[in-house]
Amino acid sequence: MTAVPFKELFAVFGRIGLLSFGGPAGQIALMHTVLVDERKWLDEKRFLHALNFCMLLPGPEAMQLATYAGWLKRGVWGGILAGTLFVLPGFAVLLALSIIYARFGNVPAVEGLLFGLKAAVLAIVFQALVKVARRALKGWESAAIAVAAFVALAALRLPFPLVIALAGLAGWAQSQRNGQAEEIEPISVEARKPHGHVAGVFFWAIVLWLAPLAALIMAATGVFAELALYFSKAAVVTFGGAYAVLAYVGQQAVEVHGWLSPGEMLTGLGLAETTPGPLILVLVFVGFLGAFRDAGGLDPVLAGTFGAIVTAWFTFVPCFIWVFLGAPFMERLRGNQALSGALAAITAAVVGVIGNLSLWFAMHVLFGEVAPARIGPATIDVPMLASFDWRAGLIALAASLAVWRGIGLAILIPAAALAGLFLLQTG
């Protein structure tokens, strides 16, 4: 595979980073258009192979796909450049929006705008569910895996890693009879000598991830150590892409740590939808509010800013590490049908993950009260019908019609926010 100059890599991934609105589905589609159709840096098979690999990793798949593509073109430094450019513009914008929300979020006008924003996000999440399902579900077997993953998460409350591992095992078993590997030509030094490459990645993992984590914990830095430890754990266990991360963090940050409310989690997601970069940047909002409200004697905005930086660092540094650890081996096994089957099954399970997230979001957007109900071994959340908010339902319905008619986020998001402002003040 032909290398490209760093200047060209910077221009291409800088453009992707600035235009990558709309969550993972839209971002993956954008990268496919730029990298496969326009630049022809990757062919269709290699792009899908990279995408399935990134779905297998813990963390946001779109950011990791950008990192993998950069690695393919210019090795580790190319991957770092591509992944950083994918994240940095959105981080800066979302940090600014987090400061505005923390300072002025209780102003009635701001509440109205955010009310409409959350309802529009519901439509965007459901559209992502349908798009990913169309791409991932190729037959009844993959559909069954998606349904099983949804039930396991929504009703049985099984851990994400277990659900994803079982899906991968099912896909591997199904395709085992076709598991002969094709001989391929390695495309980089890292792929030809993966073990030496892996030793270097482990060294930098210690320097950039584990050592700073240990330093924060030993310094007993309060909420900052708590954020670093929590998001380091999330970086290890949140398999299944950005929506899996959101489902895990959304519930844990709200129900366990109390950093923010369910409504604020949806507000953060709405803000993340309005900014470029990976949807998982909503975690910057979570980290900012957590530190803003537990400043420990610091200026709240300064504490929140540092909390946002800590959150981003311990969320995204592991993402680079996972890609660089696995990419050389994935390239060597690119023709292995059994591995491809396992990756495809994991992609199908992600549909169930997104379905679970969509249901959770819908109940908290459309209903004021949600309570758990136990049915045998299952525990499901049940909305109180009397708490249905017709205003949120109306905006969500209109937003759904708009997204399916191809109306862009640049129009949809402001329109939904203004509708929320109008309905909240007049209703």
Side-chain angles (χ1 to χ4, degrees):
M1 181 173 287
T2 305
V4 299
F6 275 108
K7 182 178 180 180
E8 186 177 356
L9 202 69
F10 182 92
V12 170
F13 282 100
R15 174 191 169 202
I16 290 173
L18 290 171
L19 298 178
S20 56
F21 293 87
Q27 292 157 358
I28 291 168
L30 173 64
M31 278 189 277
H32 184 276
T33 298
V34 174
L35 301 179
V36 178
D37 298 334
E38 294 180 2
R39 295 283 175 165
K40 302 191 185 304
W41 285 356
L42 305 175
D43 59 29
E44 188 73 26
K45 284 187 176 181
R46 180 161 284 182
F47 182 87
L48 292 176
H49 179 81
L51 175 59
N52 283 335
F53 167 59
C54 294
M55 286 286 192
L56 175 64
L57 298 174
E61 71 277 32
M63 176 266 180
Q64 289 167 320
L65 179 61
T67 303
Y68 193 112
W71 176 83
L72 285 172
K73 303 309 295 181
R74 288 304 299 257
V76 169
W77 285 110
I80 292 173
L81 178 64
T84 301
L85 289 174
F86 191 77
V87 169
L88 201 55
F91 172 81
V93 175
L94 194 58
L95 177 58
L97 292 175
S98 298
I99 295 172
I100 293 170
Y101 174 82
R103 286 298 195 192
F104 307 107
N106 59 346
V107 176
V110 176
E111 290 181 353
L113 293 171
L114 295 175
F115 177 81
L117 190 63
K118 288 185 286 188
V121 167
L122 179 59
I124 296 169
V125 170
F126 272 104
Q127 184 194 44
L129 172 62
V130 174
K131 284 186 174 180
V132 174
R134 286 176 175 171
R135 186 178 68 237
L137 306 183
K138 302 300 184 182
W140 71 266
E141 296 95 341
S142 56
I145 291 174
V147 172
F150 174 82
V151 172
L153 294 168
L156 301 179
R157 307 296 174 96
L158 296 182
F160 285 108
L162 178 60
V163 173
I164 297 301
L166 290 174
L169 183 62
W172 175 82
Q174 182 183 354
S175 59
Q176 180 64 26
R177 62 182 181 274
N178 299 319
Q180 296 298 316
E182 300 173 4
E183 292 294 327
I184 62 170
E185 181 182 354
I187 50 80
S188 68
V189 172
E190 291 89 347
R192 289 194 296 270
K193 301 178 180 179
H195 300 292
H197 167 76
V198 165
V201 174
F202 271 118
F203 171 79
W204 288 111
I206 294 171
V207 171
L208 299 176
W209 178 20
L210 300 180
L213 175 62
L216 282 173
I217 293 173
M218 289 188 293
T221 51
V223 69
F224 305 118
E226 189 179 354
L227 288 168
L229 182 60
Y230 174 72
F231 287 107
S232 291
K233 291 179 181 177
V236 174
V237 303
T238 47
F239 292 86
Y243 285 105
V245 180
L246 290 175
Y248 175 83
V249 172
Q251 292 170 340
Q252 291 285 314
V254 170
E255 298 169 7
V256 177
H257 294 277
W259 288 325
L260 69 177
S261 68
E264 286 177 326
M265 186 67 197
L266 291 167
T267 296
L269 184 60
L271 295 176
E273 287 281 7
T274 68
T275 62
L279 191 59
I280 201 61
L281 280 171
V282 66
L283 302 186
V284 171
F285 180 78
V286 174
F288 181 91
L289 286 187
F292 181 88
R293 291 167 176 169
D294 187 12
L298 295 175
D299 175 77
V301 172
L302 178 62
T305 300
F306 187 59
I309 293 171
V310 167
T311 298
W313 186 267
F314 288 97
T315 295
F316 291 111
V317 168
C319 293
F320 286 107
I321 290 169
W322 304 144
V323 173
F324 295 146
L325 278 177
F329 299 98
M330 294 302 296
E331 282 300 303
R332 291 168 68 92
L333 295 172
R334 189 155 44 87
N336 189 294
Q337 297 301 313
L339 178 62
S340 297
L343 295 177
I346 288 170
T347 304
V350 169
V351 177
V353 174
I354 300 174
N356 176 53
L357 177 70
S358 301
L359 179 63
W360 188 81
F361 279 167
M363 287 190 293
H364 285 89
V365 168
L366 301 177
F367 297 90
E369 297 181 34
V370 177
R374 190 157 186 87
I375 304 175
T379 301
I380 59 174
D381 291 328
V382 179
M384 303 295 103
L385 297 181
S387 66
F388 177 74
D389 192 327
W390 66 270
R391 300 164 300 182
L394 181 62
I395 297 173
L397 177 61
S400 297
L401 295 175
V403 295
W404 289 111
R405 290 182 66 86
I407 295 177
L409 293 179
I411 297 174
L412 173 63
I413 294 296
L418 291 174
L421 175 62
F422 173 77
L423 290 176
L424 211 61
Q425 290 185 342
T426 60

